[in-house]
Amino acid sequence: MRWRFWISVTFVVCFLSYSMVAPVFANAGDEDILEMDLDSLMDVQITSAGRKSQVLSDVPAAVYVIHREKLLESGATTIAEALRLVPGLQVARINANRWAISSRGFNGTFSNKLLVQIDGRSVYTPSYSGVYWDLQHVMLEDVDRIEVIRGPGATLWGANAVNGIINVITLPASDTQGGLVSLGTGTHEKFMAGARVGTKLNTDTYARFYAMGNDRDSFVKASDGSDGNDGWKNSQAGFRIDGDNGVRHTWTLQGDIFQVDSEQDVTPPFPPDSGSLVDSVKSHGGNILGRWTLKDSNHDICTVQAYYDFNTRDEFSLEQTHHTFDMDFQHRFQPARGHDVVWGMGYRMVRDDFANTFQVQIIPETQTTHLFSGFAQDEITIIDDLLWLTIGSKIEHNDYTGVEIQPNVRILWRPGERHSFWTSVARAVRTPSRMEASGKIIQGIIPFPVYTQISLNGSPKYDAEKLIALETGYRYAAGKNFSADISLFYNRYTDLGGIVSGENQWSMYFANNMEGNTYGMEVSVTWLPVEWMETEVTYSCLQMDITGDEYSKKTIEETSPSHQAGLRLGIDLTKNLRLNLWARYTGKIKFVDFTNTDLYRHVIDDTFSLDANIRWRINGDIDFTVAGQNLLDGDFMEYGSDGYLTPIEIQRILYAKITWKF
């Protein structure tokens, strides 16, 4: 594996050497490679950390923002791929249509400690409190930014915002006027297309309508290199309408419908001679969201939001349908000098319907749950322009564990214009899912001498998982050419989910029999050595010490890498031609192969990856991109096979894409 590292280093050095003579071909004074300098980037407004508009340098939390240009220059074709940019996130591709994504550990297909939102709409599934990433599609050309908060955000966003928050924020309709068409194809991306039209409905109302679709080829099985049977097709359409009724009132109405068809190679937990099968997974659904804001001043703002989300997913192990209705109210005001208060209330109703199978059952098959919440947070100015204290808490009532309280205390110190220090203490919980409370999974069958089922069962006694998190961080911006962001964290978990034996050795139950500590560091450094080149270096380390049953301990500790690093280069070759290079290192992980009767533990050694793309902007209206992913190795495993999926090797990907704005 070491030779791959040296090849990647040599490759990068060659391009760096070339970049030193690039001004011969490029007129660097014609156009800066960044739309904003680093001072402006540190002053960008974000909303996810405090449920209000804040300057990035004033946020007392570990925040990383993937801006629009960075997203397009990454070469990513999905939101999941783009999240590799974020230090501290563990992002691994399981197969062509599945991902394992988490923040600060606990990674897996069913990661359940990360809150993910798209324009303020939660996209987690109540069946296991995680995210089906194959269903999360956004037209990337319409994304304004992706805000990622590493660490707990439960005080403002509630249960399940335990280790982080991801909020995908799209552009307002007024910024997407006119038409756009994009088409692409490649070795894995057989077909990708998108179209959008934006129009002005009247003096103060703008709208956009879009449609998109993708057809992705399958990868190969790790065992023999044959077809992985994991192809993936999706189609989606939607709209967004934004209006301003005078200066004080703004409103948004938006919605989407989608259909996703994919395949997976499954080995059911039945007698060994049953073999594997190709499962067709079919999903469809839609959502509609409305938001109204009343603004009396920059610090007196009321917002009411409501959305309805419907989705259904049919696969070999389980068919599930969810209806979610969510209402949220919040108010920001300043009751006295030096106080900036945000408070609000929320209600969520989830109705689910399961069609049980032999392998997976959830009882009762249909159930409606309710969640009531309220929160308040006050940012207090202790010393003007120097020291701030933020205190707040959220109180929730859910149908599984009753009342949960999730407070936090944060301090921000800015001794100079370019320096920011922050620290925080917070409590967060993850409430049980339907599977943990009342599910049953057949893990295997022993046919002789007596027919016996090995099962993993839910328990009504399953409690909320709890976290006390300590964090501290530092940000520095040196003029227009250099910025650095570092964060340190220590997490103490109690009542973590594990497995205990039941009345006999063949029955196991979900239980809160685990606890542990995690700690680590995340670093991001951006440097513009010359005006026609941008560099970014990221690094994160993670150490986990979990105690409890040995199987759960290994599953938790070994599925997230201890070290990750990335190097991203953007080189302006000419006025309209840009080369983007992205090298990544991921540390060793292990996983259990459930498709093997001996539950063999696979080891995935350190991996080195290199992506590259060239963007050619033609006349300002046409953007042509040629991209390559995983250029160093054509067949390798990034992650294992949570559940009973066949282990898959990821392949080298090449594609070309053209986008026309008119």
Side-chain angles (χ1 to χ4, degrees):
M1 297 297 292
R2 297 297 178 187
W3 63 270
R4 297 175 187 166
F5 171 76
W6 292 114
I7 288 178
S8 62
V9 169
T10 303
F11 192 93
V12 170
V13 169
C14 289
F15 273 111
L16 280 173
S17 301
Y18 170 77
S19 68
M20 299 305 174
V21 298
V24 174
F25 306 98
N27 186 348
D30 288 342
E31 182 180 0
D32 200 335
I33 64 168
L34 296 176
E35 294 187 350
M36 298 181 290
D37 58 40
L38 295 183
D39 276 339
S40 300
L41 288 173
M42 294 300 285
D43 291 335
V44 70
Q45 299 288 317
I46 68 170
T47 58
S48 301
R51 291 185 69 137
K52 62 183 179 182
S53 183
Q54 291 177 283
V55 175
L56 175 60
S57 57
D58 289 344
V59 176
V63 179
Y64 187 93
V65 181
I66 304 175
H67 301 283
R68 173 179 170 78
E69 278 302 302
K70 185 183 294 186
L71 173 63
L72 297 178
E73 290 169 357
S74 69
T77 59
T78 66
I79 295 296
E81 288 178 7
L83 293 176
R84 296 182 190 272
L85 290 164
V86 184
L89 286 192
Q90 289 81 47
V91 180
R93 193 163 194 169
I94 299 172
N95 59 28
N97 58 71
R98 287 188 181 241
W99 297 80
I101 300 178
S102 68
S103 173
R104 296 179 174 176
F106 302 90
N107 203 19
T109 306
F110 304 106
S111 301
N112 53 24
K113 296 175 178 58
L114 183 64
L115 177 66
V116 182
Q117 298 179 321
I118 299 177
D119 283 331
R121 173 177 57 87
S122 176
V123 297
Y124 89 107
T125 175
S127 58
Y128 72 96
S129 301
V131 176
Y132 285 117
W133 287 100
D134 58 322
L135 306 186
Q136 312 313 322
H137 297 281
V138 180
M139 193 163 174
L140 297 185
E141 291 82 1
D142 290 345
V143 173
D144 180 36
R145 63 191 186 276
I146 304 174
E147 298 179 358
V148 180
I149 292 92
R150 305 179 304 274
T155 295
L156 297 177
W157 298 105
N160 303 323
V162 177
N163 282 356
I165 301 167
I166 296 172
N167 194 5
V168 181
I169 300 172
T170 62
L171 290 162
S174 57
D175 289 347
T176 53
Q177 295 297 284
L180 181 146
V181 175
S182 66
L183 292 171
T185 187
T187 57
H188 176 68
E189 305 282 350
K190 294 194 296 184
F191 172 78
M192 48 184 173
R196 174 246 290 162
V197 59
T199 184
K200 187 174 183 179
L201 301 181
N202 57 44
T203 304
D204 50 19
T205 306
Y206 296 85
R208 74 162 171 262
F209 305 89
Y210 80 93
M212 59 180 291
N214 293 79
D215 184 358
R216 297 176 172 88
D217 203 357
S218 57
F219 290 134
V220 297
K221 295 179 182 179
S223 59
D224 58 12
S226 62
D227 193 321
N229 300 314
D230 57 341
W232 179 23
K233 298 179 182 179
N234 73 276
S235 56
Q236 183 167 309
F239 72 95
R240 173 167 175 163
I241 304 174
D242 296 307
D244 297 319
N245 295 331
V247 177
R248 299 176 59 201
H249 302 269
T250 62
W251 57 273
T252 295
L253 181 67
Q254 62 187 86
D256 312 276
I257 56 173
F258 71 88
Q259 179 173 318
V260 176
D261 297 318
S262 60
E263 292 183 330
Q264 54 188 9
D265 199 275
V266 180
T267 301
F270 306 141
D273 59 355
S274 60
S276 64
L277 59 87
V278 179
D279 179 27
S280 295
V281 183
K282 297 185 179 298
S283 306
H284 67 273
N287 63 81
I288 188 165
L289 178 147
R291 185 185 305 112
W292 175 71
T293 301
L294 173 62
K295 184 176 181 180
D296 282 337
S297 68
N298 288 333
H299 301 288
D300 193 349
I301 304 171
C302 289
T303 301
V304 179
Q305 175 182 284
Y307 69 80
Y308 166 73
D309 188 298
F310 158 80
N311 63 80
T312 183
R313 183 182 184 91
D314 183 7
E315 54 189 318
F316 166 78
S317 58
L318 186 68
E319 181 180 349
Q320 51 186 305
T321 300
H322 293 95
H323 301 265
T324 301
F325 175 71
D326 184 281
M327 290 191 65
D328 182 87
F329 165 82
Q330 77 171 54
H331 179 209
R332 179 188 180 188
F333 70 107
Q334 294 183 336
R337 184 180 181 277
H339 292 265
D340 191 351
V341 176
V342 178
W343 71 279
M345 299 177 292
Y347 166 73
R348 179 176 297 168
M349 182 273 292
V350 177
R351 178 176 175 81
D352 56 41
D353 186 5
F354 295 94
N356 291 334
T357 66
F358 175 79
Q359 184 179 0
V360 179
Q361 301 103 45
I362 297 181
I363 305 298
E365 291 189 352
T366 299
Q367 179 173 290
T368 301
T369 58
H370 306 271
L371 176 68
F372 301 88
S373 65
F375 74 91
Q377 181 165 283
D378 187 7
E379 181 184 291
I380 305 168
T381 302
I382 305 299
I383 302 176
D384 288 346
D385 301 321
L386 181 64
L387 187 64
W388 294 263
L389 170 68
T390 300
I391 56 174
S393 184
K394 192 178 188 81
I395 301 177
E396 290 184 322
H397 182 277
N398 67 82
D399 290 347
Y400 296 107
T401 63
V403 175
E404 299 288 353
I405 300 175
Q406 302 170 92
N408 76 9
V409 178
R410 299 177 184 270
I411 297 174
L412 175 69
W413 176 41
R414 295 200 65 184
E417 182 181 353
R418 305 187 186 281
H419 303 271
S420 299
F421 295 88
W422 61 271
T423 188
S424 72
V425 180
R427 181 180 190 269
V429 303
R430 187 191 74 81
T431 54
S433 66
R434 281 278 267 139
M435 182 63 68
E436 293 157 328
S438 59
K440 180 179 180 180
I441 305 173
I442 303 301
Q443 301 279 73
I445 293 176
I446 301 176
F448 302 104
V450 178
Y451 180 88
T452 304
Q453 295 181 3
I454 304 173
S455 63
L456 176 59
N457 304 275
S459 170
K461 297 180 181 180
Y462 194 87
D463 201 359
E465 300 180 347
K466 303 171 182 66
L467 164 68
I468 300 295
L470 288 77
E471 298 178 271
T472 190
Y474 168 66
R475 295 189 184 95
Y476 173 66
K480 299 180 179 181
N481 300 323
F482 183 86
S483 71
D485 193 322
I486 181 172
S487 59
L488 305 171
F489 66 91
Y490 175 84
N491 292 340
R492 173 61 182 170
Y493 298 90
T494 55
D495 293 330
L496 281 173
I499 298 173
V500 297
S501 298
E503 59 276 9
N504 59 62
Q505 61 179 323
W506 312 121
S507 296
M508 297 170 288
Y509 290 84
F510 289 110
N512 302 98
N513 65 326
M514 307 285 292
E515 63 179 27
N517 309 315
T518 68
Y519 57 93
M521 174 178 65
E522 298 141 354
V523 179
S524 174
V525 176
T526 303
W527 178 41
L528 277 65
V530 288
E531 62 181 354
W532 40 265
M533 182 169 68
E534 175 194 9
T535 68
E536 182 181 33
V537 177
T538 59
Y539 169 75
S540 64
C541 66
L542 170 70
Q543 298 297 318
M544 308 184 72
D545 182 14
I546 306 298
T547 60
D549 72 87
E550 193 63 21
Y551 168 77
S552 297
K553 170 184 171 68
K554 287 183 175 293
T555 302
I556 293 173
E557 289 184 346
E558 297 179 345
T559 55
S560 297
S562 297
H563 301 275
Q564 296 185 109
L567 170 63
R568 193 172 58 86
L569 302 177
I571 303 169
D572 213 8
L573 302 179
T574 69
K575 178 180 179 180
N576 298 319
L577 192 64
R578 182 176 174 86
L579 170 67
N580 297 291
L581 299 171
W582 185 10
R584 299 184 301 275
Y585 162 78
T586 304
K588 180 176 64 177
I589 63 171
K590 299 179 182 179
F591 69 94
V592 173
D593 183 0
F594 285 90
T595 66
N596 189 302
T597 55
D598 296 327
L599 293 184
Y600 176 72
R601 185 169 295 275
H602 281 280
V603 177
I604 299 178
D605 289 323
D606 301 355
T607 59
F608 299 89
S609 303
L610 178 66
D611 296 353
N613 68 78
I614 293 180
R615 292 182 66 198
W616 181 22
R617 301 178 182 180
I618 307 171
N619 300 326
D621 297 325
I622 300 176
D623 191 316
F624 181 69
T625 299
V626 177
Q629 299 174 339
N630 309 320
L631 296 177
L632 298 182
D633 197 337
D635 298 288
F636 67 101
M637 291 184 65
E638 276 197 348
Y639 200 78
S641 58
D642 282 5
Y644 298 91
L645 299 181
T646 299
I648 296 295
E649 287 189 336
I650 311 304
Q651 296 179 290
R652 185 177 293 111
I653 297 172
L654 303 173
Y655 74 85
K657 180 179 179 180
I658 187 167
T659 302
W660 175 36
K661 297 180 181 179
F662 55 92

